Amino acid sequence: MTKVEALPYEDRTVYSVGAFNRGVADWLARLPSVWVEGEVTELRRHDRWATVFFTLKDPADGSCLGVTMARGRFDGLRLGLADGERVHVLGRPELYAQRGEFRLRALTIERFGLGAHLAALERLKAKLAGEGLFAAERKRPLPLLPRRIGLVTGNDAAAKRDVLAAVRSRLPGASVRVAETHVQGPRAAAEMVEALRTLCDEPDVDVIVLTRGGGSFDDLLPFSDERLVRAVAGCRVPVVSAVGHEQDTPLCDLAADVRASTPTAAGRLVVPDVSIVLDGLDRSRAALERAVRRTLEREAQRVGRAAERLRAAPRLALERERLRVERAHERLRQTPALAVERKRAALETVAGKLVALSPRATLGRGYAIVRTESGVVSSVVDVAAGERIEVTVADGGFGARVEDGT
């Protein structure tokens, strides 16, 4: 303990400023560690600084308390604190003697009620995930050029201005229907659910943006309300969620079709850049012109070929008819000779048959014809012994008499 010496002045004891500050600092150092609740403001952290500085403010009456914490200890907590968050700080009171500044030297920091809230959110998250509300396959693509954009946000909020500015800078003629609601506090979730349903019922709204700026853990709790999460998942049109800072992930982000890191990014997502659209239209128009030109050229060539065939058709028809007539004439010219030849061949065939079947041909093979006065002898009973017969052979005939009959 530093010894504090007073300066004697006649009838009084007087301390120098440094001595007084050191004495108070020594006395404060003997006090135990305490928990202090308040809202974080004026948070200052720099990589080159060994200490993090912020102020705790009492939301009830505005009372303030300066707080310091070693940067390594602060970073090790990984809280990602931002101004406005409500916390519990464990620390020791101290006085910076050099400047007489009273402050709290923080040993650890906890978000107020964080454990219970996180446990409840994890249970709700698991329940909704089990129902498929966060499934990737149910995410819908955003429309390329929406007829009207729905915007659910706080009244007079920077987030609203950021979305509108981004939309109108990219597509000046875009139509936006704004539904202003509370975005924090006990009324926020119900009002946002009603705003979503109202916008979903409007037939020309093709996409909805749900947004608010950064805030404390408590401020963003309405965006993890089960009613709002189910309303986002059940909306008939795609929903873009742009809530808080990039590190914040309320449950409505998981249920939305698209998550945007900032309100400005959400505005850029829901509408195309008009210059890019116009460039695309120009390219499409040029491609269409080329396609039409090629089609017309092909059709012109086809028509030309058809015209050439039509011009050549009479000549080709006449040539085919000439050839047909010549072939017919040749057939007619050859027909008599062919007919005579066929008749001659037929007569020769018949003559051959007649020759083969004639009696003379039979006689030539050594046979003879025997006749009596009664006719040709075909059986032994037709002749009698002593009867005169006429015998005809191949080269003539002679007479004979039957000597004996068998």
Side-chain angles (χ1 to χ4, degrees):
M1 179 182 297
T2 303
K3 184 177 180 181
V4 178
E5 296 182 353
L7 300 174
Y9 280 99
E10 299 177 353
D11 60 345
R12 67 186 63 173
T13 300
V14 180
Y15 295 91
S16 67
V17 172
F20 176 79
N21 285 353
R22 286 192 297 274
V24 173
D26 289 343
W27 180 80
L28 290 174
R30 294 195 296 270
L31 295 177
S33 301
V34 294
W35 284 97
V36 182
E37 178 184 320
E39 290 184 356
V40 176
T41 62
E42 301 175 349
L43 177 64
R44 303 185 302 281
R45 180 204 172 278
H46 199 283
D47 289 340
R48 294 196 300 268
W49 297 350
T51 303
V52 175
F53 302 89
F54 61 93
T55 299
L56 276 182
K57 184 177 72 173
D58 190 331
D61 60 9
S63 300
C64 293
L65 171 64
V67 182
T68 63
M69 189 174 194
R71 181 169 60 82
R73 187 188 294 266
F74 179 87
D75 291 348
L77 295 175
R78 299 182 180 274
L79 292 175
L81 289 179
D83 284 359
E85 293 194 62
R86 197 171 182 179
V87 295
H88 283 175
V89 179
L90 176 66
R92 292 180 178 275
E94 66 177 14
L95 184 73
Y96 181 45
Q98 186 67 31
R99 300 183 61 180
E101 294 179 352
F102 175 73
R103 60 197 180 190
L104 185 69
R105 184 69 173 176
L107 302 175
T108 189
I109 304 171
E110 292 182 3
R111 282 192 172 91
F112 175 65
L114 179 61
H117 284 311
L118 285 178
L121 284 179
E122 284 302 316
R123 288 194 297 271
L124 178 59
K125 180 180 178 181
K127 171 187 172 183
L128 298 178
E131 295 180 19
L133 267 65
F134 306 151
E137 54 268 21
R138 59 163 297 277
K139 307 291 185 182
R140 294 161 294 184
L142 301 182
L144 176 62
L145 196 63
R147 292 170 296 172
R148 177 171 288 183
I149 302 159
L151 176 59
V152 179
T153 186
N155 57 347
D156 195 26
K160 178 180 73 174
R161 293 193 297 272
D162 290 345
V163 172
L164 293 177
V167 167
R168 286 165 182 162
S169 68
R170 291 170 65 84
L171 194 65
S175 174
V176 182
R177 169 81 161 79
V178 180
E180 295 181 350
T181 70
H182 285 86
V183 290
Q184 68 183 60
R187 298 166 53 187
E191 290 186 7
M192 288 187 287
V193 168
E194 183 59 30
L196 271 173
R197 289 173 178 166
T198 299
L199 291 175
C200 284
D201 289 339
E202 296 189 10
D204 56 348
V205 171
D206 293 329
V207 64
I208 296 175
V209 176
L210 175 65
T211 186
R212 71 151 284 162
S216 67
F217 179 81
D218 291 339
D219 291 341
L220 299 182
L221 277 178
F223 292 90
S224 293
D225 187 284
E226 182 175 357
R227 294 168 296 173
L228 181 61
V229 175
R230 291 189 181 278
V232 168
C235 190
R236 69 168 182 84
V237 299
V239 176
V240 177
S241 177
V243 178
H245 300 291
E246 188 168 0
Q247 67 270 20
D248 298 317
T249 309
L251 297 186
C252 67
D253 277 5
L254 304 179
D257 297 277
V258 177
R259 177 184 182 263
S261 58
T262 64
T264 299
R268 291 174 178 163
L269 282 172
V270 295
V271 291
D273 190 323
V274 66
S275 61
I276 296 176
V277 173
L278 292 177
D279 289 344
L281 289 175
D282 289 340
R283 289 193 296 271
S284 298
R285 185 184 299 109
L288 182 60
E289 289 177 354
R290 290 193 297 271
V292 171
R293 190 180 301 113
R294 287 195 296 268
T295 300
L296 291 176
E297 289 173 355
R298 287 196 298 270
E299 288 301 309
Q301 293 172 359
R302 188 182 64 80
V303 170
R305 290 192 295 269
E308 182 62 29
R309 287 196 298 271
L310 287 174
R311 286 193 295 270
R315 176 172 52 80
L316 293 174
L318 289 174
E319 181 65 19
R320 285 195 296 271
E321 286 300 311
R322 184 185 66 78
L323 292 174
R324 188 182 65 79
V325 169
E326 286 182 355
R327 287 193 293 270
H329 182 268
E330 181 64 22
R331 286 196 299 272
L332 289 174
R333 186 180 63 78
Q334 294 176 355
T335 296
L338 291 173
V340 170
E341 181 64 23
R342 283 196 294 271
K343 293 294 184 183
R344 184 188 63 77
L347 288 174
E348 288 180 352
T349 300
V350 172
K353 291 179 180 180
L354 289 175
V355 170
L357 296 174
S358 67
R360 188 174 298 279
T362 303
L363 295 177
R365 292 195 297 275
Y367 292 94
I369 300 173
V370 179
R371 293 186 179 87
T372 64
E373 291 180 356
S374 301
V376 176
V377 177
S378 59
S379 175
V380 293
V381 298
D382 292 334
V383 295
E387 188 178 0
R388 181 177 171 76
I389 58 176
E390 295 289 334
V391 180
T392 303
V393 295
D395 56 352
F398 57 86
R401 187 175 297 279
V402 179
E403 289 183 357
D404 187 14
T406 299

